[in-house]
Amino acid sequence: MAVSDEPVMRTGQTIDRRVTAGVVALAAIAILLGGAVAGLLTEAASNWAGAVAAFDGYMARVVRFTLWQAALSTILSVLPAIAVARALSRHPAFPGRGLILRLFAVPLALPAIVAALGVLALYGRAGYFAGIFSSLSGQAWPGAYGLSGILVAHVFFNLPLATRLFVEALDTVPADQWRLASQLGMRAGPSFRFVEWPVIRAALPGVAGLVFMLCITSFTIVLTLGGGPRATTLEVAIYQALRFDFDPARAVALTALQILLTAIVVAVLARLGANAVGDANLSVASPRVRDATPTETLLNSLVIALALLFVAGPMLATVLAGLQADLGRLAGESAVLKATATSLVLAILSALLAALLSLSLVMARRALQLQRRAGQRTLLERLTDTGAGFVLVVPSIVIGAGWFILLRYTGNVFLLAPVMVVTVNAVMAMPFAVRAIRPAYDAASERHEKLCALLGIAGRDRFRLIDWPALRRPLFTALAFAMALSLGDLGVIALFGSDAVQTLPYLLLARMGSYRTADAAGLALLLGLLCLALMTLADRLGRNRYD
């Protein structure tokens, strides 16, 4: 549906097929979100007393911990990121600067459960640093479970993201300002105060808000490293209420609070003009020249080295721990082979659906923009512009919870596990896919729209001859990110998974739950390498012949 197209300027009665495709995509999103809401409202209406009674002291503690861990994670991620970004910005010719920024992009595609295993391999009771921590404290190291483990894992994910966003902001400083600062003999302090800080201060609310939202909606990290009722967030409590306690009334109350908190954060992000999905693309070189004293160079090099060790540490620990597992035996297990095949099939279907929906929305928005001659945007144009962002208000575990409650009235909810995993993961990946596709499609449309209308090039011919050369790389990028997100997702499959339908993250969590840590480490290595291989393959396939 996304590849159909009609010339915008043919007749007044012609309905642009791009608009039709966009309407279908919006309807699909509405059905998915509406079904979840219907399930929640149905349960609330049938057991409103139980839903009201669920607002008790335990829920208050869960809300406080959710906000507390998100606030601490944000502070510990954003403040060091300012120092790291400034160090990288002050030294455009720093050895390996491009490699460091590329390495900082790896956590964006790394499954959360793999990172959690890496944190445990470093800081767990039997981790590489356990002996050092035990010697320093004079007692046995308790491990990285609980709040400390959650914070370390969140900083591992969000420090690189915040650093890249701040570097992107600092790269917007005009070269004239740097030349003037150099001519005036500004050293590090005055340069930071008058040149860098205004840019950082403008980006700070949006970056901090984005990290805070990611930590509020964190599920896999808290489920893996939470360490019990004292370290439980709203999303994990929803999962526990449905899978362990089977208390739908409490799940509805928790879901309502989760939606409220997420909606508030998303509204604040929109008000601040923040990018809600981060940026996967960033230039890794800067043409500007900064003046830095030897002392500043030494300090900045130390900051960069510490950040590099912190980010690379869990990844290296995951590789080392995985290599110690019996990979040959794991690779031959029927359960592992079946889970790998299931993960790949579901990830491919999810990525294709995400790309199709995103491309439909992007094309529809552009067609409606071209049809609008004057005045404000129509409601449909606004929806195609922000439709992908609707899912930010409702995390995947919330959508899964709503459908889990709704489908239990129809029979065995686990039979629909593949459908739920594919659709929910596809919709959750849409913001990333839209961000990758939209700039390229708008640029191609700006260059060729009138010519296509004049020559009557439309439909598959237009997509093959005009759109595909411009969309090839961003489409493969979107597919790779969507597949990586689906491969590493644990939110939906944690609710709908069973012995019949298991993905690699689900199997990995089951091995951890049965204390088969060596197998879990081997599966984490396999999952991480699979995601990175997909990203590399997509990058190669997305290149043109002349790149």
Side-chain angles (χ1 to χ4, degrees):
M1 64 180 174
V3 300
S4 298
D5 196 0
E6 285 290 334
V8 174
M9 297 173 286
R10 184 172 291 182
T11 65
Q13 285 74 31
T14 298
I15 298 178
D16 197 316
R17 294 181 184 176
R18 291 177 294 182
V19 177
T20 303
V23 171
V24 174
L26 288 174
I29 299 171
I31 291 173
L32 184 66
L33 299 183
V37 172
L40 298 172
L41 292 179
T42 300
E43 181 62 34
S46 62
N47 191 9
W48 64 270
V52 173
F55 290 91
D56 52 13
Y58 169 75
M59 186 176 293
R61 290 196 301 272
V62 171
V63 172
R64 283 198 299 269
F65 182 80
T66 301
L67 296 174
W68 177 239
Q69 63 85 20
L72 287 178
S73 299
T74 301
I75 294 171
L76 294 176
S77 300
V78 172
L79 293 184
I82 294 176
V84 178
R86 183 174 181 271
L88 289 170
S89 178
R90 293 283 293 178
H91 301 280
F94 187 84
R97 182 180 186 270
L99 180 61
I100 293 172
L101 286 174
R102 292 189 182 96
L103 179 66
F104 279 12
V106 172
L108 297 175
L110 196 66
I113 195 168
V114 175
L117 265 294
V119 170
L120 289 177
L122 278 181
Y123 309 108
R125 290 188 182 95
Y128 293 107
F129 292 160
I132 298 176
F133 293 147
S134 297
S135 301
L136 293 176
S137 61
Q139 56 185 357
W141 175 243
Y145 287 102
L147 180 61
S148 59
I150 293 172
L151 294 179
V152 171
H154 280 169
V155 174
F156 166 77
F157 275 108
N158 296 315
L159 172 64
L161 173 62
T163 298
R164 288 169 63 86
L165 292 176
F166 281 130
V167 169
E168 184 181 41
L170 288 170
D171 281 348
T172 63
V173 176
D176 292 343
Q177 292 190 18
W178 291 114
R179 285 195 293 268
L180 181 60
S182 177
Q183 292 170 359
L184 295 176
M186 285 188 180
R187 293 306 182 187
S191 177
F192 176 76
R193 179 182 177 185
F194 295 108
V195 179
E196 296 165 318
W197 174 244
V199 176
I200 294 175
R201 182 178 59 191
L204 181 60
V207 175
L210 172 60
V211 173
F212 189 80
M213 185 196 72
L214 293 175
C215 295
I216 273 187
T217 57
S218 176
F219 172 75
T220 304
I221 292 296
V222 182
L223 180 66
T224 309
L225 302 175
R230 296 183 60 184
T232 298
T233 59
L234 284 169
E235 293 203 5
V236 174
I238 294 169
Y239 164 74
Q240 293 171 343
L242 289 176
R243 286 303 299 261
F244 295 108
D245 304 329
F246 197 71
D247 188 352
R250 179 175 290 277
V252 169
L254 291 165
T255 301
L257 281 176
Q258 177 68 42
I259 293 175
L260 178 62
L261 285 178
T262 311
I264 292 173
V265 175
V266 171
V268 172
L269 280 174
R271 185 66 179 265
L272 296 173
N275 169 25
V277 297
D279 191 358
N281 301 309
L282 180 66
S283 60
V284 295
S286 175
R288 305 187 187 102
V289 178
R290 323 281 201 263
D291 293 327
T293 63
T295 301
E296 183 191 358
T297 300
L298 178 62
L299 292 176
N300 287 337
S301 300
L302 181 61
V303 168
I304 295 172
L306 290 175
L308 181 60
L309 289 174
F310 180 81
V311 174
M315 290 188 276
L316 181 60
T318 300
V319 174
L320 294 177
L323 291 177
Q324 294 176 6
D326 190 349
L327 296 177
R329 176 182 57 81
L330 281 176
E333 283 190 16
S334 59
V336 175
L337 293 175
K338 183 179 179 181
T340 303
T342 301
S343 295
L344 286 173
V345 170
L346 295 181
I348 291 172
L349 293 176
S350 177
L352 290 174
L353 182 58
L356 188 63
L357 293 173
S358 302
L359 188 57
S360 298
L361 290 179
V362 169
M363 287 181 167
R365 188 205 67 85
R366 178 61 179 168
L368 291 169
Q369 182 185 45
L370 292 171
Q371 291 175 1
R372 173 170 51 88
R373 298 179 180 177
Q376 296 182 347
R377 297 187 298 173
T378 62
L379 176 61
L380 182 58
E381 184 180 350
R382 293 178 183 273
L383 290 176
T384 55
D385 190 15
T386 60
F390 292 160
V391 299
L392 297 175
V393 182
V394 189
S396 60
I397 189 67
V398 172
I399 300 176
W403 278 98
F404 189 94
I405 294 172
L406 181 65
L407 293 173
R408 72 189 180 95
Y409 295 105
T410 64
N412 189 352
V413 299
F414 301 108
L415 292 177
L416 295 176
V419 177
M420 294 308 305
V421 170
V422 168
T423 54
V424 174
N425 286 341
V427 172
M428 298 307 296
M430 280 178 56
F432 296 89
V434 168
R435 181 170 178 82
I437 295 171
R438 179 171 162 177
Y441 182 79
D442 286 354
S445 176
E446 185 71 26
R447 291 193 299 268
H448 305 298
E449 193 71 41
K450 292 183 178 180
L451 182 61
C452 289
L454 183 64
L455 298 178
I457 302 176
R460 287 187 294 270
D461 290 336
R462 168 170 174 161
F463 186 82
R464 178 173 57 88
L465 298 173
I466 305 300
D467 295 331
W468 173 247
L471 291 175
R472 177 173 176 170
R473 172 167 286 184
L475 267 176
F476 275 110
T477 299
L479 286 169
F481 269 100
M483 287 188 67
L485 287 174
S486 181
L487 276 173
D489 176 71
L490 192 57
V492 182
I493 196 65
L495 286 175
F496 290 90
S498 63
D499 292 337
V501 180
Q502 291 186 342
T503 61
L504 276 176
Y506 189 88
L507 182 62
L508 197 161
L509 185 65
R511 296 291 171 91
M512 289 181 64
S514 58
Y515 299 101
R516 299 171 66 178
T517 54
D519 284 0
L523 291 174
L525 177 60
L526 174 63
L527 182 58
L529 292 177
L530 192 58
C531 290
L532 294 179
L534 287 173
M535 299 296 294
T536 303
L537 178 63
D539 180 67
R540 290 184 179 274
L541 293 176
R543 293 177 183 175
N544 295 319
R545 293 180 301 173
Y546 306 106
D547 286 351

